[in-house]
Amino acid sequence: MENEPLCWHLHVLSLQLKDYFIANLLHEIRTPLNAIIEFSELLKEEVELVIPGASVEYFPIIHHATSSLLISTSHCQAQFFDSFHV
């Protein structure tokens, strides 16, 4: 068929656009998570000076939650690209 090369080209283009979208989406999720981790570390030091012991209760929760999300996004990205680019 004469439309077959066009269909194949559109298929390949759609896969590339999907990959680009997923990569950007994961980047947009990771960027603020990294900022939260870094900012909470800075804040932790300041809070500890003013309220001793406060950082022991709250900041591990922030660090654990954001680190878990970062790891999850890395796993998602790895699984996505492994499964679609065999």
PDB file of all heavy atoms in Angstrom, residues 37-62:
ATOM      1  N   ILE A  37      13.711  18.145  49.273  1.00  0.00           N
ATOM      2  CA  ILE A  37      14.726  17.466  50.085  1.00  0.00           C
ATOM      3  C   ILE A  37      15.803  18.449  50.526  1.00  0.00           C
ATOM      4  O   ILE A  37      16.157  18.517  51.707  1.00  0.00           O
ATOM      5  CB  ILE A  37      15.347  16.278  49.315  1.00  0.00           C
ATOM      6  CG1 ILE A  37      14.331  15.153  49.171  1.00  0.00           C
ATOM      7  CG2 ILE A  37      16.599  15.775  50.019  1.00  0.00           C
ATOM      8  CD1 ILE A  37      14.777  14.036  48.257  1.00  0.00           C
ATOM      9  N   GLU A  38      16.320  19.210  49.582  1.00  0.00           N
ATOM     10  CA  GLU A  38      17.389  20.151  49.912  1.00  0.00           C
ATOM     11  C   GLU A  38      16.906  21.250  50.852  1.00  0.00           C
ATOM     12  O   GLU A  38      17.598  21.609  51.810  1.00  0.00           O
ATOM     13  CB  GLU A  38      17.970  20.770  48.629  1.00  0.00           C
ATOM     14  CG  GLU A  38      18.707  19.778  47.763  1.00  0.00           C
ATOM     15  CD  GLU A  38      19.882  19.134  48.492  1.00  0.00           C
ATOM     16  OE1 GLU A  38      20.613  19.829  49.217  1.00  0.00           O
ATOM     17  OE2 GLU A  38      20.067  17.917  48.327  1.00  0.00           O
ATOM     18  N   PHE A  39      15.729  21.801  50.582  1.00  0.00           N
ATOM     19  CA  PHE A  39      15.204  22.864  51.436  1.00  0.00           C
ATOM     20  C   PHE A  39      14.915  22.347  52.838  1.00  0.00           C
ATOM     21  O   PHE A  39      15.182  23.029  53.834  1.00  0.00           O
ATOM     22  CB  PHE A  39      13.939  23.476  50.829  1.00  0.00           C
ATOM     23  CG  PHE A  39      13.401  24.619  51.626  1.00  0.00           C
ATOM     24  CD1 PHE A  39      14.075  25.834  51.653  1.00  0.00           C
ATOM     25  CD2 PHE A  39      12.235  24.488  52.358  1.00  0.00           C
ATOM     26  CE1 PHE A  39      13.585  26.891  52.400  1.00  0.00           C
ATOM     27  CE2 PHE A  39      11.741  25.546  53.100  1.00  0.00           C
ATOM     28  CZ  PHE A  39      12.422  26.755  53.120  1.00  0.00           C
ATOM     29  N   SER A  40      14.387  21.140  52.941  1.00  0.00           N
ATOM     30  CA  SER A  40      14.095  20.593  54.272  1.00  0.00           C
ATOM     31  C   SER A  40      15.382  20.344  55.056  1.00  0.00           C
ATOM     32  O   SER A  40      15.400  20.487  56.280  1.00  0.00           O
ATOM     33  CB  SER A  40      13.252  19.323  54.182  1.00  0.00           C
ATOM     34  OG  SER A  40      13.974  18.267  53.594  1.00  0.00           O
ATOM     35  N   GLU A  41      16.462  19.979  54.365  1.00  0.00           N
ATOM     36  CA  GLU A  41      17.747  19.811  55.056  1.00  0.00           C
ATOM     37  C   GLU A  41      18.247  21.147  55.607  1.00  0.00           C
ATOM     38  O   GLU A  41      18.740  21.219  56.732  1.00  0.00           O
ATOM     39  CB  GLU A  41      18.791  19.202  54.114  1.00  0.00           C
ATOM     40  CG  GLU A  41      18.557  17.738  53.819  1.00  0.00           C
ATOM     41  CD  GLU A  41      18.658  16.860  55.049  1.00  0.00           C
ATOM     42  OE1 GLU A  41      19.568  17.076  55.880  1.00  0.00           O
ATOM     43  OE2 GLU A  41      17.827  15.950  55.178  1.00  0.00           O
ATOM     44  N   LEU A  42      18.124  22.209  54.803  1.00  0.00           N
ATOM     45  CA  LEU A  42      18.508  23.540  55.284  1.00  0.00           C
ATOM     46  C   LEU A  42      17.628  23.981  56.447  1.00  0.00           C
ATOM     47  O   LEU A  42      18.110  24.507  57.449  1.00  0.00           O
ATOM     48  CB  LEU A  42      18.412  24.565  54.152  1.00  0.00           C
ATOM     49  CG  LEU A  42      19.408  24.433  53.015  1.00  0.00           C
ATOM     50  CD1 LEU A  42      19.046  25.388  51.893  1.00  0.00           C
ATOM     51  CD2 LEU A  42      20.818  24.708  53.520  1.00  0.00           C
ATOM     52  N   LEU A  43      16.342  23.768  56.300  1.00  0.00           N
ATOM     53  CA  LEU A  43      15.393  24.151  57.341  1.00  0.00           C
ATOM     54  C   LEU A  43      15.614  23.354  58.624  1.00  0.00           C
ATOM     55  O   LEU A  43      15.504  23.887  59.726  1.00  0.00           O
ATOM     56  CB  LEU A  43      13.967  23.959  56.823  1.00  0.00           C
ATOM     57  CG  LEU A  43      12.830  24.541  57.631  1.00  0.00           C
ATOM     58  CD1 LEU A  43      13.004  26.044  57.776  1.00  0.00           C
ATOM     59  CD2 LEU A  43      11.508  24.221  56.977  1.00  0.00           C
ATOM     60  N   LYS A  44      15.957  22.100  58.462  1.00  0.00           N
ATOM     61  CA  LYS A  44      16.208  21.228  59.606  1.00  0.00           C
ATOM     62  C   LYS A  44      17.318  21.790  60.492  1.00  0.00           C
ATOM     63  O   LYS A  44      17.196  21.824  61.720  1.00  0.00           O
ATOM     64  CB  LYS A  44      16.585  19.826  59.111  1.00  0.00           C
ATOM     65  CG  LYS A  44      16.952  18.844  60.179  1.00  0.00           C
ATOM     66  CD  LYS A  44      17.352  17.523  59.518  1.00  0.00           C
ATOM     67  CE  LYS A  44      17.959  16.575  60.509  1.00  0.00           C
ATOM     68  NZ  LYS A  44      18.414  15.341  59.870  1.00  0.00           N
ATOM     69  N   GLU A  45      18.378  22.247  59.866  1.00  0.00           N
ATOM     70  CA  GLU A  45      19.491  22.816  60.628  1.00  0.00           C
ATOM     71  C   GLU A  45      19.059  24.070  61.384  1.00  0.00           C
ATOM     72  O   GLU A  45      19.431  24.263  62.544  1.00  0.00           O
ATOM     73  CB  GLU A  45      20.649  23.131  59.687  1.00  0.00           C
ATOM     74  CG  GLU A  45      21.259  21.899  59.058  1.00  0.00           C
ATOM     75  CD  GLU A  45      22.217  22.226  57.927  1.00  0.00           C
ATOM     76  OE1 GLU A  45      22.493  23.422  57.699  1.00  0.00           O
ATOM     77  OE2 GLU A  45      22.684  21.271  57.270  1.00  0.00           O
ATOM     78  N   GLU A  46      18.268  24.917  60.735  1.00  0.00           N
ATOM     79  CA  GLU A  46      17.806  26.148  61.375  1.00  0.00           C
ATOM     80  C   GLU A  46      16.816  25.864  62.507  1.00  0.00           C
ATOM     81  O   GLU A  46      16.880  26.469  63.569  1.00  0.00           O
ATOM     82  CB  GLU A  46      17.174  27.085  60.344  1.00  0.00           C
ATOM     83  CG  GLU A  46      18.136  27.591  59.302  1.00  0.00           C
ATOM     84  CD  GLU A  46      19.244  28.455  59.904  1.00  0.00           C
ATOM     85  OE1 GLU A  46      18.954  29.271  60.792  1.00  0.00           O
ATOM     86  OE2 GLU A  46      20.393  28.298  59.459  1.00  0.00           O
ATOM     87  N   VAL A  47      15.905  24.938  62.274  1.00  0.00           N
ATOM     88  CA  VAL A  47      14.897  24.600  63.282  1.00  0.00           C
ATOM     89  C   VAL A  47      15.560  23.976  64.502  1.00  0.00           C
ATOM     90  O   VAL A  47      15.173  24.256  65.637  1.00  0.00           O
ATOM     91  CB  VAL A  47      13.816  23.660  62.696  1.00  0.00           C
ATOM     92  CG1 VAL A  47      12.943  23.059  63.785  1.00  0.00           C
ATOM     93  CG2 VAL A  47      12.962  24.410  61.696  1.00  0.00           C
ATOM     94  N   GLU A  48      16.539  23.161  64.279  1.00  0.00           N
ATOM     95  CA  GLU A  48      17.237  22.497  65.385  1.00  0.00           C
ATOM     96  C   GLU A  48      17.897  23.516  66.305  1.00  0.00           C
ATOM     97  O   GLU A  48      17.972  23.308  67.518  1.00  0.00           O
ATOM     98  CB  GLU A  48      18.264  21.504  64.840  1.00  0.00           C
ATOM     99  CG  GLU A  48      18.820  20.555  65.860  1.00  0.00           C
ATOM    100  CD  GLU A  48      17.778  19.656  66.509  1.00  0.00           C
ATOM    101  OE1 GLU A  48      16.832  19.215  65.836  1.00  0.00           O
ATOM    102  OE2 GLU A  48      17.919  19.395  67.721  1.00  0.00           O
ATOM    103  N   LEU A  49      18.360  24.626  65.753  1.00  0.00           N
ATOM    104  CA  LEU A  49      18.961  25.671  66.582  1.00  0.00           C
ATOM    105  C   LEU A  49      17.921  26.367  67.460  1.00  0.00           C
ATOM    106  O   LEU A  49      18.200  26.732  68.595  1.00  0.00           O
ATOM    107  CB  LEU A  49      19.659  26.712  65.704  1.00  0.00           C
ATOM    108  CG  LEU A  49      20.891  26.231  64.945  1.00  0.00           C
ATOM    109  CD1 LEU A  49      21.363  27.312  63.989  1.00  0.00           C
ATOM    110  CD2 LEU A  49      22.002  25.831  65.900  1.00  0.00           C
ATOM    111  N   VAL A  50      16.715  26.535  66.925  1.00  0.00           N
ATOM    112  CA  VAL A  50      15.658  27.253  67.645  1.00  0.00           C
ATOM    113  C   VAL A  50      14.855  26.329  68.553  1.00  0.00           C
ATOM    114  O   VAL A  50      14.568  26.664  69.701  1.00  0.00           O
ATOM    115  CB  VAL A  50      14.716  27.961  66.640  1.00  0.00           C
ATOM    116  CG1 VAL A  50      13.580  28.671  67.363  1.00  0.00           C
ATOM    117  CG2 VAL A  50      15.496  28.933  65.777  1.00  0.00           C
ATOM    118  N   ILE A  51      14.484  25.172  68.042  1.00  0.00           N
ATOM    119  CA  ILE A  51      13.663  24.210  68.799  1.00  0.00           C
ATOM    120  C   ILE A  51      14.385  22.867  68.799  1.00  0.00           C
ATOM    121  O   ILE A  51      14.181  22.039  67.910  1.00  0.00           O
ATOM    122  CB  ILE A  51      12.268  24.038  68.171  1.00  0.00           C
ATOM    123  CG1 ILE A  51      11.598  25.386  67.942  1.00  0.00           C
ATOM    124  CG2 ILE A  51      11.384  23.155  69.057  1.00  0.00           C
ATOM    125  CD1 ILE A  51      10.366  25.313  67.072  1.00  0.00           C
ATOM    126  N   PRO A  52      15.242  22.642  69.787  1.00  0.00           N
ATOM    127  CA  PRO A  52      15.977  21.366  69.827  1.00  0.00           C
ATOM    128  C   PRO A  52      15.017  20.164  69.871  1.00  0.00           C
ATOM    129  O   PRO A  52      14.037  20.159  70.602  1.00  0.00           O
ATOM    130  CB  PRO A  52      16.793  21.466  71.113  1.00  0.00           C
ATOM    131  CG  PRO A  52      16.886  22.924  71.402  1.00  0.00           C
ATOM    132  CD  PRO A  52      15.621  23.527  70.877  1.00  0.00           C
ATOM    133  N   GLY A  53      15.291  19.183  69.050  1.00  0.00           N
ATOM    134  CA  GLY A  53      14.494  17.963  69.029  1.00  0.00           C
ATOM    135  C   GLY A  53      13.355  17.986  68.031  1.00  0.00           C
ATOM    136  O   GLY A  53      12.786  16.936  67.717  1.00  0.00           O
ATOM    137  N   ALA A  54      12.981  19.164  67.528  1.00  0.00           N
ATOM    138  CA  ALA A  54      11.856  19.248  66.586  1.00  0.00           C
ATOM    139  C   ALA A  54      12.174  18.528  65.282  1.00  0.00           C
ATOM    140  O   ALA A  54      11.298  17.917  64.669  1.00  0.00           O
ATOM    141  CB  ALA A  54      11.505  20.699  66.301  1.00  0.00           C
ATOM    142  N   SER A  55      13.412  18.593  64.865  1.00  0.00           N
ATOM    143  CA  SER A  55      13.772  17.977  63.588  1.00  0.00           C
ATOM    144  C   SER A  55      13.727  16.457  63.649  1.00  0.00           C
ATOM    145  O   SER A  55      13.565  15.795  62.630  1.00  0.00           O
ATOM    146  CB  SER A  55      15.147  18.440  63.143  1.00  0.00           C
ATOM    147  OG  SER A  55      16.132  18.008  64.047  1.00  0.00           O
ATOM    148  N   VAL A  56      13.832  15.907  64.819  1.00  0.00           N
ATOM    149  CA  VAL A  56      13.814  14.448  64.966  1.00  0.00           C
ATOM    150  C   VAL A  56      12.440  13.889  64.600  1.00  0.00           C
ATOM    151  O   VAL A  56      12.337  12.805  64.028  1.00  0.00           O
ATOM    152  CB  VAL A  56      14.178  14.047  66.418  1.00  0.00           C
ATOM    153  CG1 VAL A  56      14.019  12.564  66.638  1.00  0.00           C
ATOM    154  CG2 VAL A  56      15.583  14.502  66.750  1.00  0.00           C
ATOM    155  N   GLU A  57      11.389  14.648  64.878  1.00  0.00           N
ATOM    156  CA  GLU A  57      10.035  14.148  64.647  1.00  0.00           C
ATOM    157  C   GLU A  57       9.560  14.336  63.210  1.00  0.00           C
ATOM    158  O   GLU A  57       8.989  13.420  62.619  1.00  0.00           O
ATOM    159  CB  GLU A  57       9.056  14.846  65.596  1.00  0.00           C
ATOM    160  CG  GLU A  57       7.650  14.304  65.506  1.00  0.00           C
ATOM    161  CD  GLU A  57       6.734  14.926  66.537  1.00  0.00           C
ATOM    162  OE1 GLU A  57       7.201  15.670  67.411  1.00  0.00           O
ATOM    163  OE2 GLU A  57       5.528  14.653  66.447  1.00  0.00           O
ATOM    164  N   TYR A  58       9.774  15.501  62.636  1.00  0.00           N
ATOM    165  CA  TYR A  58       9.137  15.830  61.363  1.00  0.00           C
ATOM    166  C   TYR A  58      10.015  15.640  60.131  1.00  0.00           C
ATOM    167  O   TYR A  58       9.538  15.209  59.086  1.00  0.00           O
ATOM    168  CB  TYR A  58       8.619  17.275  61.393  1.00  0.00           C
ATOM    169  CG  TYR A  58       7.571  17.475  62.444  1.00  0.00           C
ATOM    170  CD1 TYR A  58       7.843  18.207  63.591  1.00  0.00           C
ATOM    171  CD2 TYR A  58       6.308  16.911  62.311  1.00  0.00           C
ATOM    172  CE1 TYR A  58       6.879  18.379  64.572  1.00  0.00           C
ATOM    173  CE2 TYR A  58       5.339  17.070  63.280  1.00  0.00           C
ATOM    174  CZ  TYR A  58       5.631  17.815  64.415  1.00  0.00           C
ATOM    175  OH  TYR A  58       4.690  17.970  65.375  1.00  0.00           O
ATOM    176  N   PHE A  59      11.256  15.966  60.221  1.00  0.00           N
ATOM    177  CA  PHE A  59      12.086  15.964  59.025  1.00  0.00           C
ATOM    178  C   PHE A  59      12.391  14.567  58.477  1.00  0.00           C
ATOM    179  O   PHE A  59      12.511  14.423  57.263  1.00  0.00           O
ATOM    180  CB  PHE A  59      13.351  16.787  59.258  1.00  0.00           C
ATOM    181  CG  PHE A  59      13.036  18.258  59.334  1.00  0.00           C
ATOM    182  CD1 PHE A  59      12.883  18.884  60.554  1.00  0.00           C
ATOM    183  CD2 PHE A  59      12.856  18.999  58.181  1.00  0.00           C
ATOM    184  CE1 PHE A  59      12.573  20.228  60.628  1.00  0.00           C
ATOM    185  CE2 PHE A  59      12.548  20.343  58.244  1.00  0.00           C
ATOM    186  CZ  PHE A  59      12.400  20.958  59.470  1.00  0.00           C
ATOM    187  N   PRO A  60      12.493  13.546  59.297  1.00  0.00           N
ATOM    188  CA  PRO A  60      12.644  12.207  58.700  1.00  0.00           C
ATOM    189  C   PRO A  60      11.436  11.801  57.854  1.00  0.00           C
ATOM    190  O   PRO A  60      11.585  11.100  56.850  1.00  0.00           O
ATOM    191  CB  PRO A  60      12.795  11.286  59.912  1.00  0.00           C
ATOM    192  CG  PRO A  60      13.358  12.161  60.968  1.00  0.00           C
ATOM    193  CD  PRO A  60      12.723  13.510  60.739  1.00  0.00           C
ATOM    194  N   ILE A  61      10.253  12.280  58.230  1.00  0.00           N
ATOM    195  CA  ILE A  61       9.046  11.977  57.447  1.00  0.00           C
ATOM    196  C   ILE A  61       9.147  12.623  56.065  1.00  0.00           C
ATOM    197  O   ILE A  61       8.873  11.989  55.038  1.00  0.00           O
ATOM    198  CB  ILE A  61       7.780  12.470  58.190  1.00  0.00           C
ATOM    199  CG1 ILE A  61       7.614  11.706  59.499  1.00  0.00           C
ATOM    200  CG2 ILE A  61       6.543  12.333  57.311  1.00  0.00           C
ATOM    201  CD1 ILE A  61       6.568  12.295  60.432  1.00  0.00           C
ATOM    202  N   ILE A  62       9.553  13.896  56.046  1.00  0.00           N
ATOM    203  CA  ILE A  62       9.710  14.608  54.773  1.00  0.00           C
ATOM    204  C   ILE A  62      10.760  13.916  53.910  1.00  0.00           C
ATOM    205  O   ILE A  62      10.537  13.657  52.720  1.00  0.00           O
ATOM    206  CB  ILE A  62      10.099  16.080  55.017  1.00  0.00           C
ATOM    207  CG1 ILE A  62       8.982  16.824  55.735  1.00  0.00           C
ATOM    208  CG2 ILE A  62      10.450  16.767  53.698  1.00  0.00           C
ATOM    209  CD1 ILE A  62       9.384  18.199  56.240  1.00  0.00           C
TER     210      ILE A  62
END
